[in-house]
Amino acid sequence: MKIRNPRTGEFDYELSENSAESVIAMADNARLNQKKWQLKSIDERVAVLKNWLESIKKYENEIAEQLAVDTSRKQIAKVEVKGIFGLLEAWFFRAPQLYNPPKERQSASCNTVQIGQQWVPYQLIGVISPWNFPLLLALIDTIPALLAGCSVLLKPSEVTPRFMDGLEKSIQEVPELNGVLKLVRGGAEAGKAVVQSVDAICFTGSVPTGKKIGAACAERFIPAFLELGGKDPAIVLDDADMQVATDAILRSAVGATGQACQSLERIYVDEKIYDEFVTIITNKSADVTLTTDPNKGQMGPLIFEKQAEKIQQQLDEAEVKGAKILTGGKVKNINGGLWCRPTVLINVDHSMQVMTEETFGPVIPIMAFKSDEEAITLANDSIFGLSASVFSKNKERALEIASQIEAGAISINDGSLTNKVFDAEKNSFKESGINGSRMGDSGFLRFFRKKAVLFQTAHPDTMSGFEEMQ
């Protein structure tokens, strides 16, 4: 499979795809090794992953360079690798605290029975991750699953696969980990083989693909932990700090070229401050620099050519329906790469795809609202419910509005805080996802099934209890 370089447009990398048969063989081997892995104590598993952390550090520069080619983002690639160090360290601290099956207790419904409990990890977890943050979103589910005692089949996106070369080296240097963590390379067919081979799936990606995976998991009667798309709203109240709001919204909307599920993609501003807000954020958007020279600038090219087509289609449709573009507005081919400057739109409404469908690009459509109630209604008028933002100097007012937004995480006076805060448990609302949170304690605990062990302390009931009586 030929892989496209997002900066040059050239297909300059060959991805060797795993066949369905090889995926099944990996799964069989991972299951075999999992039995011994599960018997290790949580502290012993932490020790193995600490060795892995040291191995990742050894290949840190190589992995970062591969990520930088994958995504055409040098600085973010370095931060992404460093972020894995922090993610591992956080779970080294928290997982041993969480692994604490309850002690035996007396049943409240049958006082002669003592209840014991065992936590049984799923034997084999499948992790299928997306192209926008290739390393982080590959390991955000993988690490706690391994610490829980599971084996993992990990299939990153075929759009940004180069980083797997360095990551594979780090895994192979830790033999105990190499037996229970297998990297799967390939596209849809390899992904289908993963789904058919595991006991539970963690998937991060689009709603349409997530629905297909969820249906396949339901057919096999296995859990699917789905973290899907977003169309995150921001509500800017009339008492908001204008500089805070415009800085945060711009960074959230166009940072990483808007290619994040928690990017702010629709902005609702109180009509009393609407004109001022639009002027300020338009000026700030115009100042964002492109990394056409890869050694300087703030915003890189679009990674995935199919997404670039979707972004342009949404912008064109909005213009036809009356939207006005104040900055950007066109996806341009520059030396083979596909670039879109930060794009501010006004005169938009919910008849336009740019306000209702996931964009995944550096686009900032802005609507005015007359009342807090209207803002909440507009924010909730969506099939998505991943996250959102509220801007106000009044904490109580912001919290009141946050309580009425149908989304799993609400950032107050900032945007996209879930991209740096991983220990706050949240659930996706609506079509943005389903099942246990990857954030917070649930990110670890969801990989266990709970087994009840019931001890009878008295003589068991006999058949005399079924005697019919007049």
Side-chain angles (χ1 to χ4, degrees):
M1 177 185 290
K2 295 286 188 181
I3 305 302
R4 179 181 173 274
N5 183 317
R7 179 167 291 276
T8 66
E10 296 177 0
F11 288 82
D12 58 4
Y13 179 85
E14 184 74 34
L15 177 65
S16 298
E17 298 183 74
N18 287 110
S19 66
E21 292 75 17
S22 68
V23 173
I24 293 169
M26 284 186 197
D28 290 343
N29 183 257
R31 285 185 187 280
L32 184 66
N33 293 321
Q34 186 272 341
K35 295 176 182 179
K36 185 176 180 181
W37 182 248
Q38 179 183 342
L39 292 175
K40 289 182 179 294
S41 70
I42 182 68
D43 290 333
E44 288 173 325
R45 291 195 289 270
V46 166
V48 172
L49 265 65
K50 283 185 175 180
N51 291 336
W52 184 33
L53 172 56
E54 294 308 308
S55 182
I56 295 174
K57 288 180 179 179
K58 178 179 175 181
Y59 294 101
E60 175 183 356
N61 290 337
E62 180 177 339
I63 295 170
E65 288 169 4
Q66 291 162 348
L67 280 174
V69 179
D70 272 333
T71 63
S72 200
R73 303 183 308 222
K74 295 174 69 174
Q75 183 61 27
I76 292 176
K78 294 176 183 178
V79 172
E80 193 171 347
V81 180
K82 294 287 189 186
I84 297 305
F85 302 166
L87 188 63
L88 280 161
E89 293 284 2
W91 280 120
F92 294 161
F93 173 76
R94 188 60 179 150
Q97 295 179 330
L98 293 173
Y99 188 74
N100 186 27
K103 296 179 180 179
E104 288 181 24
R105 63 178 177 84
Q106 180 178 299
S107 167
S109 57
C110 183
N111 61 15
T112 66
V113 172
Q114 292 288 315
I115 299 174
Q117 201 162 67
Q118 298 172 351
W119 290 3
V120 183
Y122 288 99
Q123 191 173 19
L124 183 58
I125 300 294
V127 175
I128 300 177
S129 57
W131 49 263
N132 55 323
F133 285 89
L135 180 66
L136 173 63
L137 295 178
L139 298 187
I140 195 170
D141 298 311
T142 298
I143 291 167
L146 289 167
L147 288 172
C150 311
S151 282
V152 176
L153 286 187
L154 169 58
K155 195 206 86 67
S157 170
E158 69 277 16
V159 176
T160 50
R162 294 168 174 83
F163 79 99
M164 283 191 282
D165 296 342
L167 186 65
E168 182 103 72
K169 292 178 184 178
S170 75
I171 295 168
Q172 289 175 344
E173 289 196 352
V174 186
E176 290 172 295
L177 181 65
N178 194 32
V180 294
L181 175 55
K182 308 291 185 181
L183 294 187
V184 177
R185 291 168 167 82
E189 293 307 310
K192 289 177 184 177
V194 170
V195 173
Q196 294 301 316
S197 302
V198 299
D199 303 313
I201 280 284
C202 297
F203 171 76
T204 307
S206 70
V207 170
T209 303
K211 286 183 175 181
K212 291 176 183 177
I213 289 174
C217 290
E219 190 71 27
R220 294 194 58 230
F221 231 65
I222 65 171
F225 302 102
L226 306 178
E227 184 87 357
L228 307 179
K231 189 70 180 175
D232 285 7
I235 295 177
V236 184
L237 301 177
D238 58 359
D239 65 344
D241 183 308
M242 194 68 71
Q243 297 304 321
V244 166
T246 52
D247 280 345
I249 289 170
L250 178 64
R251 187 211 73 242
S252 173
V254 312
T257 321
Q259 299 166 126
C261 55
Q262 78 283 352
S263 295
L264 289 171
E265 291 203 358
R266 49 196 176 106
I267 316 303
Y268 305 105
V269 181
D270 189 291
E271 62 179 6
K272 292 187 286 295
I273 60 169
Y274 176 83
D275 289 340
E276 181 185 5
F277 179 92
V278 169
T279 297
I280 294 173
I281 202 165
T282 299
N283 290 336
K284 289 181 177 181
S285 296
D287 289 338
V288 173
T289 55
L290 303 184
T291 63
T292 47
D293 177 340
N295 295 311
K296 60 183 180 180
Q298 300 167 324
M299 198 181 82
L302 298 163
I303 294 172
F304 191 26
E305 66 271 29
K306 291 183 179 179
Q307 197 66 38
E309 293 172 4
K310 182 176 180 180
I311 293 166
Q312 190 62 65
Q313 185 270 324
Q314 286 190 11
L315 294 174
D316 292 344
E317 188 242 19
E319 273 200 293
V320 168
K321 290 185 174 181
K324 182 179 180 181
I325 294 176
L326 302 181
T327 62
K330 294 294 181 183
V331 175
K332 296 182 179 180
N333 187 314
I334 302 177
N335 298 324
L338 299 174
W339 301 76
C340 181
R341 291 189 177 277
T343 298
V344 176
L345 297 91
I346 58 173
N347 299 345
V348 292
D349 59 46
H350 283 210
S351 72
M352 301 173 185
Q353 295 172 11
V354 76
M355 293 299 290
T356 58
E357 296 184 9
E358 189 170 33
T359 302
F360 230 64
V363 178
I364 309 173
I366 309 170
M367 284 182 65
F369 63 82
K370 297 179 183 299
S371 65
D372 292 1
E373 292 74 22
E374 183 186 9
I376 294 165
T377 299
L378 289 168
N380 289 337
D381 182 23
S382 176
I383 65 169
F384 298 100
L386 191 64
S387 45
S389 290
V390 179
F391 292 86
S392 172
K393 293 177 183 176
N394 185 322
K395 181 178 180 180
E396 288 70 28
R397 185 183 178 195
L399 287 173
E400 175 59 27
I401 289 178
S403 72
Q404 299 178 66
I405 296 176
E406 297 163 354
I410 314 297
S411 298
I412 306 296
N413 292 326
D414 205 339
S416 308
L417 285 177
T418 53
N419 69 3
K420 61 174 67 176
V421 178
F422 298 144
D423 53 348
E425 189 165 332
K426 71 177 187 69
N427 294 113
S428 298
F429 285 41
K430 303 179 183 179
E431 293 190 9
S432 284
I434 194 169
N435 286 331
S437 171
R438 66 158 48 138
M439 305 292 192
D441 295 349
S442 174
F444 174 74
L445 297 174
R446 62 188 169 140
F447 294 116
F448 294 97
R449 288 164 289 186
K450 294 179 179 178
K451 181 188 292 186
V453 183
L454 309 176
F455 299 89
Q456 178 58 271
T457 63
H459 194 282
D461 291 343
T462 67
M463 284 302 297
S464 64
F466 294 98
E467 190 74 34
E468 299 287 0
M469 300 177 66
Q470 292 185 345

